[in-house]
């Protein structure tokens, strides 16, 4: 899968239909989300996200793609998304596994909202 298709695939997980989401996420997927129960697996992971309202605006930044071996793709990026008056930001990773010609599934996904370190002092020099 080339880079443009990777980003298209990832974007479709944000703004595609619930049926499309269920089709792309493997039933063995492991997820870490920033809300209880935090760690999800299998169909629990699929249903936790598939049944949420889809995002209408999605913007990626700081995107990186790694291909550690044939049949695996790892993406990492920052997301800014919105729907109506709701906005969301997070740092995210997803791992895709190749199943057959043109067929990829998400097998791992993680979201971390921006972290704020209180009392951090920038060091120079």
């Amino acid at each position: 899968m080339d880079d443009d298709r990777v980003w298209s695939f990832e974007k479709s997980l944000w703004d595609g239909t619930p049926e499309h989401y269920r089709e792309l996420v493997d039933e063995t997927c492991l997820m870490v989300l920033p809300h209880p129960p935090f760690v999800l697996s299998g169909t629990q992971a699929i249903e936790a996200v598939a049944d949420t309202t889809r995002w209408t605006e999605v913007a990626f930044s700081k995107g990186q793609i790694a291909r550690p071996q044939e049949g695996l793709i790892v993406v990492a990026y920052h997301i800014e998304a919105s729907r109506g008056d709701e906005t969301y930001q997070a740092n995210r990773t997803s791992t895709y596994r190749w199943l057959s010609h043109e067929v990829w599934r998400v097998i791992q996904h993680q979201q971390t909202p921006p972290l704020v370190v209180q009392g951090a002092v920038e060091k120079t020099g």
Side-chain angles (χ1 to χ4, degrees):
M1 182 174 355
D2 68 25
D3 288 4
D4 288 342
R5 185 162 171 238
V6 168
W7 294 119
S8 178
F9 183 101
E10 192 68 23
K11 184 177 183 293
S12 76
L13 294 167
W14 285 86
D15 60 10
T17 65
E19 294 76 24
H20 178 73
Y21 184 87
R22 286 183 183 94
E23 179 182 306
L24 297 183
V25 178
D26 196 90
E27 62 188 29
T28 65
C29 184
L30 296 177
M31 279 190 193
V32 175
L33 300 175
H35 51 76
F38 303 108
V39 178
L40 306 154
S41 62
T43 56
Q44 180 187 27
I46 295 169
E47 296 308 316
V49 178
D51 291 333
T52 62
T53 304
R54 310 317 292 161
W55 298 93
T56 54
E57 299 290 328
V58 177
F60 298 147
S61 62
K62 303 177 187 175
Q64 297 184 38
I65 299 173
R67 293 174 174 85
Q69 71 181 50
E70 186 173 349
L72 284 180
I73 296 174
V74 181
V75 297
Y77 59 95
H78 180 80
I79 184 80
E80 292 187 31
S82 63
R83 56 184 170 211
D85 293 336
E86 182 182 4
T87 61
Y88 180 71
Q89 290 188 40
N91 297 299
R92 301 172 45 105
T93 63
S94 294
T95 304
Y96 311 148
R97 175 180 63 178
W98 179 75
L99 297 178
S100 63
H101 181 68
E102 300 294 320
V103 179
W104 292 83
R105 295 289 182 270
V106 177
I107 59 170
Q108 175 277 328
H109 176 72
Q110 172 274 330
Q111 296 182 31
T112 303
L115 301 175
V116 176
V117 179
Q118 296 201 10
V121 177
E122 184 177 325
K123 294 182 181 182
T124 60

